[in-house]
Structures are given as structure tokens and as C-alpha cells.
């Protein structure tokens, strides 16, 4: 019922997946797609996004935390779920129980995962399927080819693979790496990504030469999935582009559309007289009699306070600037001297038809990335699914 809502266009989400697949086919490739639904699907709602992704042909999902994976399993989702971030030992039994597929960067974590499997059978809490006590936990070996985050050094991969095999509890489902600058078409960044791809390919070759089954090879995030065909291997992991935002530096520019549309309504209007101020800090003062509309959303809903004085919302196809500071639960819009809009009119904050701004425009204004804008739309804002 709340006026402020994040409308999630699942049809657009599915179309974005198809746009990427068409791009791959046009390049003579058909890697499988793993859709990251971490951070509640970048703020869009993990369960509906996961279901829509699978309907659109994705074969894997990816999460950052064990809780996120458990939430998908509890919703009846059976697809393989990659656990992208390193968890702690206390979470490892749950990884088995919920049948998540962790990335393993080192032998210590591999040993701990193997140990945890003695307590809990694979998939013990995984729907109605009875636990298969003998099954091994599939894991991906994470290689740090240049991201500088988790992952083993390329030269340590053979020893880690050997260790995983001899645990007798884990099995290698794939090899994975992550790019640092794949969404940039600057020459030096293209070269860096190519180096990462070469290091990754070399690891895969070395493992194969030693008779190790490498399983699924996966390197590409959004930037790689669009711009670096050599990084597609068996499976790509595009996140932000499927939610509608391709980095301006990533070429070729494909037609991804924003999935989230943040809307509200004008709940109050008033005329402020010349010289009167609006909101905390008195940063905005009317230079003539002006009609102000009050919107029922603020920084507690995820509209960054840093946008104060630097943002416009779309009402009936026209942009209107905010007036004064964004408050916790409200913000004010300058409707001008003789407004064409009325109380209760609908307002698009971002993501709707132009001229409404999108999350990338907002991000640019405050020096961040669209990921942080959509992830930051708080739990207080109901997600409404349209398809
Ligand atoms: C988040 C993440 C992705 C997706 O990244 P995007 O930039 O949203 O495409 C892929 N792989 C890993 C390991 C990640 O953490």
C-alpha cells in the first residue's frame, strides 16, 4: 500500500538475459549462465529474481553468504548455487546441508569443509530429497589471476586440486576466477584482463595435463560477458548488466534496460513564499513564490542524502529538481510557480521511462556505481513484481 515502491520488471530482467545470450550466439559461443543473486539480487529480491533467471535459461545461481543460499533452498530452488565469498568454519555444515557449492582458495578451508561433511550429509536440509550420505561436496577452485581478493596463486592450483581430490569428501566441480577491470575499454585494462584470461587458461591446461578433471571453467563477470569473448569459457557470471546497467566504458554497448523502477507519489503540496527556506540546514531558499511537493521517501529508503541539491525526479514526463536536504523519510520537490502537477500524482525516482534518471545517473552524481544504488534501496521499500 505504501506509495514508495520498487517495481521490479521481471520481464525486462529475462529480456536482458536473452540480450546477452544473443550476443554470445552472434559470436559463435553459448556459455551457460550463472546469475548472481547475492545481496538480495542487487536489491531486486533474491527469490523472484532467481526463479525468473532459471525460467530464462540460467543454469546456476550465485550468492555471497550461506544465509542467502539457504533462503533460496527454503524457497524450493534446486539449481546449483555457487557460494562466492569465503565463509567461516561455523557455517560449513550449513554449506553441506543446503547443498551450496563453495569456492575454495586454500587447503586449510578445503580440510575444514571436508571435516564439516562428517557431521552433515550433503543436502540434509535440501527439500524432500533424502540425504545421500556418500555424496561428495562439489567445490570450485578459486584462482586469483589478478583481482587480489580471495583465490590461490595460479602456481598453487595443482597442489590445491590434488589436496581436494585426496580429501575423498570434496570433488572439483569447476575452476573459477574474477576480473578486476573487464568493464573498461581502456587499452591498459583490456591488456590486464587478457593477462588474467591467459593465466586462467594456463592453470586449466596444467591441471588437465596432470589428469585432473577441471569441470566447469568460469571467469567472466558482466564486463567479461560483454567485451571479452575469450573469457566466456563454459560459464559466465554476469550480474549488473542483467539488472540493467552496463558500464559506459564497456563495449560493445548492448541494450540492457533497468529492472528496478523506484516510484512514489506526491503526498502534500504547499506554497513557500519568496525568502522562505525548505528542510534541514536551510540550504534552499525560495527566490519567488514556489510550490513544493513532499515525497514520502528519504535516505532511510536508500535515496542517498548526498543527492540533496543535485537530483531531479520525473512527474508526468517532466523532470523537477529536489529542494533542500533529503531527510530520513521525506524529501521535497520544487514544482515551480504554476505547477502542472497535483497532489497524489505519481513520481518516478529512477529507472522508469525517460526523462527519468536511472541508477547509473544517480551513482555518477555522488561518485559511486549503480550497484550501490540498487543494493541500497532498503527493506522498508516494498518490492512489487511486474511481468
Ligand atoms: C558479484 C560477482 C560477479 C558479478 O559481478 P558483476 O560485476 O555484477 O557482473 C561475478 N563473479 C563474482 C565472483 C562476483 O563476486
Amino acid at each position: 500500500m505504501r506509495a514508495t515502491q520498487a517495481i521490479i520488471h521481471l520481464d525486462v530482467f529475462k529480456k536482458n538475459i536473452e540480450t546477452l545470450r544473443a550476443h554470445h550466439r552472434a559470436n559463435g559461443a553459448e556459455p551457460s549462465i550463472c546469475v548472481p543473486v547475492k545481496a538480495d539480487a542487487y536489491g531486486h529480491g533474491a527469490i523472484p529474481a532467481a526463479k525468473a533467471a532459471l525460467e530464462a535459461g540460467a543454469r546456476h545461481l550465485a550468492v555471497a553468504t550461506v544465509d542467502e543460499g539457504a533462503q533460496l533452498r527454503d524457497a524450493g530452488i534446486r539449481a546449483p548455487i555457487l557460494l562466492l565469498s569465503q565463509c567461516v568454519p561455523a557455517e560449513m555444515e550449513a554449506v553441506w546441508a543446503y547443498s551450496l557449492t563453495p569456492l575454495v582458495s586454500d587447503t586449510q578451508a578445503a580440510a575444514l569443509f571436508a571435516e564439516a561433511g562428517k557431521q552433515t550429509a550433503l543436502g540434509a536440509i535440501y527439500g524432500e530429497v533424502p540425504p545421500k550420505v556418500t555424496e561428495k561436496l562439489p567445490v570450485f577452485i578459486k584462482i586469483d589471476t589478478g583481482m587480489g581478493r580471495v583465490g590461490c596463486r595460479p602456481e598453487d592450483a595443482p597442489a590445491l586440486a590434488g589436496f581436494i581430490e585426496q580429501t575423498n569428501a570434496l570433488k572439483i566441480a569447476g575452476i573459477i576466477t574474477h576480473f578486476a577491470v573487464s568493464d573498461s575499454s581502456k587499452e591498459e585494462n583490456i591488456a590486464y584482463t587478457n593477462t588474467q584470461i591467459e593465466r586462467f587458461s594456463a592453470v586449466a591446461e596444467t591441471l588437465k595435463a596432470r589428469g585432473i578433471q577441471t569441470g566447469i571453467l568460469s571467469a567472466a563477470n558482466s564486463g567479461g560477458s560483454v567485451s571479452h569473448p575469450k573469457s566466456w569459457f563454459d560459464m559466465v557470471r554476469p550480474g549488473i548488466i542483467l539488472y540493467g546497467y552496463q558500464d559506459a566504458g564497456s563495449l560493445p554497448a548492448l541494450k540492457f534496460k533497468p529492472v528496478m523502477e523506484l516510484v512514489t507519489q506526491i503526498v502534500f503540496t504547499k506554497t513557500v513564499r519568496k525568502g522562505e527556506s525548505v528542510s534541514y540546514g536551510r540550504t534552499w531558499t525560495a527566490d519567488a513564490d514556489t510550490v513544493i511537493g513532499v515525497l514520502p521517501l528519504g535516505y532511510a529508503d536508500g535515496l542517498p542524502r548526498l543527492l540533496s541539491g543535485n537530483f531531479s525526479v520525473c512527474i508526468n514526463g517532466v523532470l523537477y529538481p529536489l529542494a533542500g536536504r533529503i531527510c530520513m523519510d521525506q524529501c521535497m520537490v520544487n514544482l515551480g510557480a504554476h505547477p502542472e502537477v497535483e497532489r497524489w500524482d505519481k513520481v518516478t525516482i529512477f529507472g522508469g521511462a525517460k526523462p527519468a534518471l536511472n541508477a547509473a545517473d544517480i551513482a555518477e552524481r555522488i561518485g559511486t556505481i549503480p550497484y550501490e544504488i540498487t543494493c541500497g534501496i532498503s527493506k522498508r521499500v516494498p518490492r512489487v513484481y511486474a511481468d
Side-chain angles (χ1 to χ4, degrees):
M1 263 197 287
R2 203 184 157 195
T4 302
Q5 305 183 337
I7 302 171
I8 307 300
H9 296 279
L10 293 174
D11 54 336
V12 174
F13 185 52
K14 289 180 180 174
K15 262 190 210 143
N16 289 341
I17 294 175
E18 191 42 47
T19 298
L20 184 66
R21 298 175 85 176
H23 173 58
H24 291 159
R25 284 194 299 270
N27 282 271
E30 210 150 355
S32 78
I33 295 185
C34 169
V35 175
V37 292
K38 59 195 184 189
D40 208 22
Y42 296 40
H44 295 70
I47 293 166
K51 288 182 174 166
L54 296 170
E55 280 168 26
R59 286 204 230 120
H60 288 70
L61 302 166
V63 295
T65 70
V66 176
D67 285 346
E68 289 176 340
Q71 190 199 3
L72 296 179
R73 290 287 183 240
D74 289 343
I77 290 169
R78 298 297 172 106
I81 300 174
L82 267 56
L83 179 63
L84 298 173
S85 297
Q86 175 68 55
C87 69
V88 295
E91 297 173 295
M92 288 179 177
E93 275 187 50
V95 170
W96 282 82
Y98 285 100
S99 199
L100 308 180
T101 304
L103 313 191
V104 173
S105 301
D106 68 316
T107 55
Q108 186 189 39
L112 288 165
F113 271 121
E115 196 56 35
K118 291 182 183 159
Q119 313 300 322
T120 311
L122 187 66
I125 320 179
Y126 185 172
E128 317 86 66
V129 185
K132 292 178 212 138
V133 184
T134 55
E135 244 180 47
K136 295 181 182 176
L137 180 73
V139 302
F140 275 63
I141 299 180
K142 177 82 189 233
I143 319 283
D144 181 6
T145 57
M147 173 67 184
R149 200 164 61 180
V150 286
C152 70
R153 294 193 155 274
E155 62 270 28
D156 295 336
L160 178 55
F163 185 88
I164 287 170
E165 288 196 322
Q166 64 79 42
T167 61
N168 253 337
L170 313 180
K171 68 173 181 223
I172 300 168
I175 315 283
I176 200 163
T177 194
H178 194 51
F179 295 136
V181 286
S182 64
D183 56 4
S184 161
S185 47
K186 272 194 192 155
E187 216 167 300
E188 65 193 88
N189 290 335
I190 291 173
Y192 192 85
T193 304
N194 284 335
T195 303
Q196 286 198 263
I197 296 168
E198 279 156 26
R199 286 180 186 149
F200 185 65
S201 299
V203 170
E205 289 313 312
T206 304
L207 294 180
K208 280 179 192 156
R210 297 189 186 195
I212 294 166
Q213 300 268 344
T214 49
I216 298 168
L217 302 185
S218 179
N221 53 358
S222 287
S225 299
V226 169
S227 312
H228 295 274
K230 282 194 181 138
S231 76
W232 295 346
F233 297 100
D234 303 315
M235 183 173 83
V236 297
R237 310 182 310 275
I240 196 71
I241 51 172
L242 301 185
Y243 298 104
Y245 295 97
Q246 182 181 353
D247 194 281
S250 129
L251 297 172
L254 302 178
K255 287 209 166 83
F256 299 109
K257 294 213 184 93
V259 175
M260 180 189 288
E261 182 184 3
L262 187 65
V263 300
T264 190
Q265 275 173 269
I266 300 174
V267 291
F268 186 72
T269 56
K270 64 155 28 120
T271 300
V272 294
R273 306 230 167 93
K274 185 176 174 181
E276 291 178 343
S277 61
V278 167
S279 195
Y280 293 121
R282 307 194 61 217
T283 58
W284 186 91
T285 305
D287 51 18
D289 289 6
T290 305
V291 179
I292 293 292
V294 178
L295 307 181
L297 87 163
Y299 60 78
D301 298 295
L303 185 68
R305 186 174 174 276
L306 288 172
L307 284 171
S308 301
N310 188 16
F311 185 55
S312 299
V313 300
C314 186
I315 311 169
N316 303 333
V318 177
L319 286 179
Y320 294 88
L322 293 193
R325 289 214 177 124
I326 294 169
C327 308
M328 183 186 288
D329 313 304
Q330 300 170 77
C331 61
M332 277 60 78
V333 54
N334 178 347
L335 300 173
H338 307 286
E340 315 246 305
V341 304
E342 289 174 10
R343 188 179 193 183
W344 317 123
D345 274 0
K346 295 216 161 123
V347 178
T348 301
I349 307 298
F350 70 77
K354 289 209 157 109
L357 302 185
N358 63 38
D361 302 321
I362 293 181
E364 203 183 302
R365 287 170 186 222
I366 58 170
T368 185
I369 49 177
Y371 303 69
E372 197 176 341
I373 302 300
T374 64
C375 286
I377 299 307
S378 75
K379 289 287 162 283
R380 189 165 80 175
V381 178
R383 272 61 173 174
V384 176
Y385 294 90
D387 54 8

